[in-house]
mmCIF file of all heavy atoms in Angstrom:
data_model
loop_
_atom_site.group_PDB
_atom_site.id
_atom_site.type_symbol
_atom_site.label_atom_id
_atom_site.label_comp_id
_atom_site.label_asym_id
_atom_site.label_seq_id
_atom_site.Cartn_x
_atom_site.Cartn_y
_atom_site.Cartn_z
ATOM 1 N N GLY A 1 93.151 45.711 81.408
ATOM 2 C CA GLY A 1 92.824 44.834 80.289
ATOM 3 C C GLY A 1 93.777 44.932 79.112
ATOM 4 O O GLY A 1 93.489 44.397 78.037
ATOM 5 N N ILE A 2 94.908 45.612 79.287
ATOM 6 C CA ILE A 2 95.892 45.774 78.207
ATOM 7 C C ILE A 2 96.878 44.601 78.253
ATOM 8 O O ILE A 2 97.479 44.325 79.294
ATOM 9 C CB ILE A 2 96.647 47.113 78.355
ATOM 10 C CG1 ILE A 2 95.645 48.276 78.323
ATOM 11 C CG2 ILE A 2 97.684 47.272 77.249
ATOM 12 C CD1 ILE A 2 96.281 49.620 78.623
ATOM 13 N N ALA A 3 97.031 43.916 77.107
ATOM 14 C CA ALA A 3 97.861 42.705 77.073
ATOM 15 C C ALA A 3 99.298 42.982 77.494
ATOM 16 O O ALA A 3 99.910 42.195 78.223
ATOM 17 C CB ALA A 3 97.823 42.106 75.667
ATOM 18 N N ALA A 4 99.856 44.110 77.052
ATOM 19 C CA ALA A 4 101.248 44.428 77.398
ATOM 20 C C ALA A 4 101.409 44.629 78.899
ATOM 21 O O ALA A 4 102.418 44.222 79.484
ATOM 22 C CB ALA A 4 101.690 45.692 76.655
ATOM 23 N N ARG A 5 100.401 45.235 79.532
ATOM 24 C CA ARG A 5 100.484 45.443 80.978
ATOM 25 C C ARG A 5 100.282 44.127 81.730
ATOM 26 O O ARG A 5 100.878 43.929 82.788
ATOM 27 C CB ARG A 5 99.445 46.475 81.416
ATOM 28 C CG ARG A 5 99.762 47.882 80.935
ATOM 29 C CD ARG A 5 98.872 48.903 81.601
ATOM 30 N NE ARG A 5 99.174 50.257 81.165
ATOM 31 C CZ ARG A 5 98.600 51.350 81.661
ATOM 32 N NH1 ARG A 5 97.683 51.248 82.615
ATOM 33 N NH2 ARG A 5 98.929 52.541 81.205
ATOM 34 N N SER A 6 99.427 43.255 81.210
ATOM 35 C CA SER A 6 99.243 41.948 81.852
ATOM 36 C C SER A 6 100.544 41.152 81.818
ATOM 37 O O SER A 6 100.919 40.506 82.801
ATOM 38 C CB SER A 6 98.125 41.173 81.143
ATOM 39 O OG SER A 6 96.881 41.821 81.291
ATOM 40 N N ALA A 7 101.231 41.221 80.674
ATOM 41 C CA ALA A 7 102.524 40.532 80.569
ATOM 42 C C ALA A 7 103.547 41.167 81.510
ATOM 43 O O ALA A 7 104.355 40.468 82.134
ATOM 44 C CB ALA A 7 103.020 40.585 79.129
ATOM 45 N N ALA A 8 103.501 42.502 81.621
ATOM 46 C CA ALA A 8 104.411 43.198 82.533
ATOM 47 C C ALA A 8 104.132 42.804 83.974
ATOM 48 O O ALA A 8 105.065 42.631 84.774
ATOM 49 C CB ALA A 8 104.271 44.711 82.348
ATOM 50 N N TRP A 9 102.841 42.679 84.334
ATOM 51 C CA TRP A 9 102.479 42.228 85.685
ATOM 52 C C TRP A 9 103.110 40.873 85.975
ATOM 53 O O TRP A 9 103.693 40.661 87.043
ATOM 54 C CB TRP A 9 100.962 42.162 85.809
ATOM 55 C CG TRP A 9 100.479 41.554 87.094
ATOM 56 C CD1 TRP A 9 100.592 40.245 87.491
ATOM 57 C CD2 TRP A 9 99.818 42.227 88.171
ATOM 58 N NE1 TRP A 9 100.044 40.055 88.734
ATOM 59 C CE2 TRP A 9 99.570 41.257 89.177
ATOM 60 C CE3 TRP A 9 99.408 43.544 88.384
ATOM 61 C CZ2 TRP A 9 98.910 41.563 90.365
ATOM 62 C CZ3 TRP A 9 98.759 43.848 89.571
ATOM 63 C CH2 TRP A 9 98.518 42.875 90.553
ATOM 64 N N ASP A 10 102.973 39.937 85.027
ATOM 65 C CA ASP A 10 103.491 38.584 85.237
ATOM 66 C C ASP A 10 105.011 38.598 85.417
ATOM 67 O O ASP A 10 105.547 37.862 86.258
ATOM 68 C CB ASP A 10 103.105 37.690 84.052
ATOM 69 C CG ASP A 10 101.601 37.465 83.967
ATOM 70 O OD1 ASP A 10 100.923 37.604 85.004
ATOM 71 O OD2 ASP A 10 101.111 37.167 82.859
ATOM 72 N N ARG A 11 105.697 39.435 84.639
ATOM 73 C CA ARG A 11 107.159 39.504 84.780
ATOM 74 C C ARG A 11 107.548 40.092 86.134
ATOM 75 O O ARG A 11 108.474 39.597 86.794
ATOM 76 C CB ARG A 11 107.748 40.353 83.650
ATOM 77 C CG ARG A 11 107.686 39.702 82.276
ATOM 78 C CD ARG A 11 108.562 40.440 81.276
ATOM 79 N NE ARG A 11 108.138 41.830 81.092
ATOM 80 C CZ ARG A 11 107.228 42.222 80.209
ATOM 81 N NH1 ARG A 11 106.622 41.324 79.424
ATOM 82 N NH2 ARG A 11 106.903 43.501 80.084
ATOM 83 N N LEU A 12 106.844 41.134 86.566
ATOM 84 C CA LEU A 12 107.157 41.746 87.858
ATOM 85 C C LEU A 12 106.820 40.798 89.006
ATOM 86 O O LEU A 12 107.558 40.725 89.997
ATOM 87 C CB LEU A 12 106.369 43.050 88.007
ATOM 88 C CG LEU A 12 106.838 44.219 87.127
ATOM 89 C CD1 LEU A 12 105.815 45.345 87.165
ATOM 90 C CD2 LEU A 12 108.203 44.711 87.584
ATOM 91 N N ALA A 13 105.700 40.092 88.892
ATOM 92 C CA ALA A 13 105.312 39.153 89.944
ATOM 93 C C ALA A 13 106.328 38.028 90.088
ATOM 94 O O ALA A 13 106.512 37.468 91.177
ATOM 95 C CB ALA A 13 103.925 38.578 89.647
ATOM 96 N N ALA A 14 107.005 37.710 88.984
ATOM 97 C CA ALA A 14 107.992 36.625 89.023
ATOM 98 C C ALA A 14 109.368 37.098 89.446
ATOM 99 O O ALA A 14 110.125 36.330 90.060
ATOM 100 C CB ALA A 14 108.081 35.961 87.646
ATOM 101 N N GLY A 15 109.707 38.383 89.169
ATOM 102 C CA GLY A 15 111.072 38.794 89.404
ATOM 103 C C GLY A 15 111.300 40.046 90.223
ATOM 104 O O GLY A 15 112.458 40.434 90.425
ATOM 105 N N SER A 16 110.245 40.704 90.711
ATOM 106 C CA SER A 16 110.422 41.952 91.457
ATOM 107 C C SER A 16 109.948 41.781 92.895
ATOM 108 O O SER A 16 108.750 41.618 93.154
ATOM 109 C CB SER A 16 109.645 43.087 90.778
ATOM 110 O OG SER A 16 109.674 44.252 91.578
ATOM 111 N N ALA A 17 110.883 41.858 93.837
ATOM 112 C CA ALA A 17 110.530 41.745 95.253
ATOM 113 C C ALA A 17 109.671 42.916 95.728
ATOM 114 O O ALA A 17 108.685 42.701 96.449
ATOM 115 C CB ALA A 17 111.787 41.627 96.102
ATOM 116 N N PRO A 18 109.963 44.181 95.363
ATOM 117 C CA PRO A 18 109.102 45.296 95.779
ATOM 118 C C PRO A 18 107.674 45.144 95.264
ATOM 119 O O PRO A 18 106.720 45.493 95.971
ATOM 120 C CB PRO A 18 109.791 46.520 95.171
ATOM 121 C CG PRO A 18 111.215 46.124 95.027
ATOM 122 C CD PRO A 18 111.182 44.674 94.687
ATOM 123 N N PHE A 19 107.523 44.645 94.051
ATOM 124 C CA PHE A 19 106.192 44.454 93.489
ATOM 125 C C PHE A 19 105.416 43.407 94.271
ATOM 126 O O PHE A 19 104.244 43.592 94.598
ATOM 127 C CB PHE A 19 106.310 44.025 92.021
ATOM 128 C CG PHE A 19 104.995 43.934 91.299
ATOM 129 C CD1 PHE A 19 104.426 45.055 90.716
ATOM 130 C CD2 PHE A 19 104.318 42.720 91.197
ATOM 131 C CE1 PHE A 19 103.211 44.982 90.040
ATOM 132 C CE2 PHE A 19 103.111 42.632 90.531
ATOM 133 C CZ PHE A 19 102.556 43.765 89.953
ATOM 134 N N ARG A 20 106.074 42.297 94.603
ATOM 135 C CA ARG A 20 105.405 41.239 95.367
ATOM 136 C C ARG A 20 105.054 41.718 96.773
ATOM 137 O O ARG A 20 104.004 41.339 97.312
ATOM 138 C CB ARG A 20 106.287 39.993 95.428
ATOM 139 C CG ARG A 20 106.431 39.262 94.094
ATOM 140 C CD ARG A 20 106.989 37.861 94.297
ATOM 141 N NE ARG A 20 108.316 37.906 94.898
ATOM 142 C CZ ARG A 20 109.440 37.947 94.193
ATOM 143 N NH1 ARG A 20 109.398 37.968 92.867
ATOM 144 N NH2 ARG A 20 110.616 37.955 94.801
ATOM 145 N N ARG A 21 105.920 42.538 97.379
ATOM 146 C CA ARG A 21 105.606 43.070 98.708
ATOM 147 C C ARG A 21 104.366 43.957 98.661
ATOM 148 O O ARG A 21 103.508 43.890 99.546
ATOM 149 C CB ARG A 21 106.804 43.859 99.254
ATOM 150 C CG ARG A 21 107.931 42.994 99.778
ATOM 151 C CD ARG A 21 108.872 43.803 100.668
ATOM 152 N NE ARG A 21 109.516 44.888 99.923
ATOM 153 C CZ ARG A 21 110.674 44.758 99.284
ATOM 154 N NH1 ARG A 21 111.319 43.606 99.293
ATOM 155 N NH2 ARG A 21 111.202 45.792 98.661
ATOM 156 N N ALA A 22 104.263 44.790 97.638
ATOM 157 C CA ALA A 22 103.086 45.648 97.497
ATOM 158 C C ALA A 22 101.828 44.824 97.270
ATOM 159 O O ALA A 22 100.754 45.141 97.795
ATOM 160 C CB ALA A 22 103.303 46.629 96.340
ATOM 161 N N GLU A 23 101.957 43.751 96.509
ATOM 162 C CA GLU A 23 100.817 42.870 96.248
ATOM 163 C C GLU A 23 100.324 42.230 97.542
ATOM 164 O O GLU A 23 99.111 42.179 97.816
ATOM 165 C CB GLU A 23 101.229 41.793 95.241
ATOM 166 C CG GLU A 23 100.114 40.828 94.872
ATOM 167 C CD GLU A 23 100.597 39.695 93.987
ATOM 168 O OE1 GLU A 23 101.841 39.596 93.766
ATOM 169 O OE2 GLU A 23 99.771 38.915 93.523
ATOM 170 N N ARG A 24 101.251 41.742 98.359
ATOM 171 C CA ARG A 24 100.881 41.123 99.626
ATOM 172 C C ARG A 24 100.314 42.159 100.602
ATOM 173 O O ARG A 24 99.349 41.884 101.321
ATOM 174 C CB ARG A 24 102.088 40.416 100.247
ATOM 175 C CG ARG A 24 102.575 39.202 99.473
ATOM 176 C CD ARG A 24 103.547 38.379 100.305
ATOM 177 N NE ARG A 24 104.738 39.141 100.657
ATOM 178 C CZ ARG A 24 105.851 39.167 99.933
ATOM 179 N NH1 ARG A 24 105.920 38.483 98.811
ATOM 180 N NH2 ARG A 24 106.898 39.870 100.324
ATOM 181 N N ARG A 25 100.921 43.342 100.615
ATOM 182 C CA ARG A 25 100.469 44.391 101.527
ATOM 183 C C ARG A 25 99.044 44.828 101.209
ATOM 184 O O ARG A 25 98.266 45.139 102.115
ATOM 185 C CB ARG A 25 101.425 45.585 101.458
ATOM 186 C CG ARG A 25 101.156 46.658 102.498
ATOM 187 C CD ARG A 25 102.317 47.624 102.617
ATOM 188 N NE ARG A 25 102.562 48.339 101.376
ATOM 189 C CZ ARG A 25 103.648 48.194 100.616
ATOM 190 N NH1 ARG A 25 104.594 47.328 100.978
ATOM 191 N NH2 ARG A 25 103.808 48.887 99.515
ATOM 192 N N PHE A 26 98.683 44.841 99.943
ATOM 193 C CA PHE A 26 97.323 45.232 99.543
ATOM 194 C C PHE A 26 96.291 44.293 100.164
ATOM 195 O O PHE A 26 95.298 44.737 100.744
ATOM 196 C CB PHE A 26 97.209 45.208 98.015
ATOM 197 C CG PHE A 26 95.890 45.681 97.490
ATOM 198 C CD1 PHE A 26 95.617 47.030 97.367
ATOM 199 C CD2 PHE A 26 94.911 44.770 97.118
ATOM 200 C CE1 PHE A 26 94.398 47.478 96.885
ATOM 201 C CE2 PHE A 26 93.691 45.204 96.629
ATOM 202 C CZ PHE A 26 93.431 46.560 96.514
ATOM 203 N N SER A 27 96.524 42.991 100.055
ATOM 204 C CA SER A 27 95.593 42.021 100.649
ATOM 205 C C SER A 27 95.600 42.106 102.167
ATOM 206 O O SER A 27 94.556 41.971 102.816
ATOM 207 C CB SER A 27 95.959 40.595 100.208
ATOM 208 O OG SER A 27 95.590 40.369 98.859
ATOM 209 N N LEU A 28 96.782 42.345 102.754
ATOM 210 C CA LEU A 28 96.879 42.441 104.208
ATOM 211 C C LEU A 28 96.078 43.637 104.729
ATOM 212 O O LEU A 28 95.424 43.552 105.779
ATOM 213 C CB LEU A 28 98.347 42.567 104.622
ATOM 214 C CG LEU A 28 98.662 42.352 106.102
ATOM 215 C CD1 LEU A 28 98.240 40.959 106.535
ATOM 216 C CD2 LEU A 28 100.151 42.558 106.353
ATOM 217 N N ILE A 29 96.101 44.735 104.006
ATOM 218 C CA ILE A 29 95.329 45.919 104.404
ATOM 219 C C ILE A 29 93.842 45.601 104.384
ATOM 220 O O ILE A 29 93.105 45.911 105.337
ATOM 221 C CB ILE A 29 95.645 47.095 103.467
ATOM 222 C CG1 ILE A 29 97.060 47.624 103.737
ATOM 223 C CG2 ILE A 29 94.623 48.221 103.640
ATOM 224 C CD1 ILE A 29 97.547 48.635 102.724
ATOM 225 N N TRP A 30 93.381 44.967 103.323
ATOM 226 C CA TRP A 30 91.953 44.636 103.224
ATOM 227 C C TRP A 30 91.525 43.660 104.321
ATOM 228 O O TRP A 30 90.485 43.820 104.939
ATOM 229 C CB TRP A 30 91.651 44.052 101.844
ATOM 230 C CG TRP A 30 91.330 45.097 100.827
ATOM 231 C CD1 TRP A 30 92.191 45.736 99.995
ATOM 232 C CD2 TRP A 30 90.033 45.635 100.547
ATOM 233 N NE1 TRP A 30 91.524 46.638 99.213
ATOM 234 C CE2 TRP A 30 90.202 46.600 99.525
ATOM 235 C CE3 TRP A 30 88.762 45.403 101.053
ATOM 236 C CZ2 TRP A 30 89.134 47.338 99.002
ATOM 237 C CZ3 TRP A 30 87.690 46.126 100.528
ATOM 238 C CH2 TRP A 30 87.885 47.082 99.524
#
């Protein structure tokens, strides 16, 4: 719920391939 971290999430989701892979892998595991 921290605004700075939410903004950081959005930047990583837009520009970090490792971050997006981890995001997809989390849903794939579930």
Side-chain angles (χ1 to χ4, degrees):
I2 301 173
R5 291 191 179 185
S6 295
W9 173 291
D10 294 337
R11 290 193 299 272
L12 288 169
S16 173
F19 186 85
R20 290 195 299 269
R21 283 197 298 270
E23 181 186 7
R24 293 193 298 269
R25 188 166 62 247
F26 184 81
S27 286
L28 194 60
I29 288 171
W30 272 91

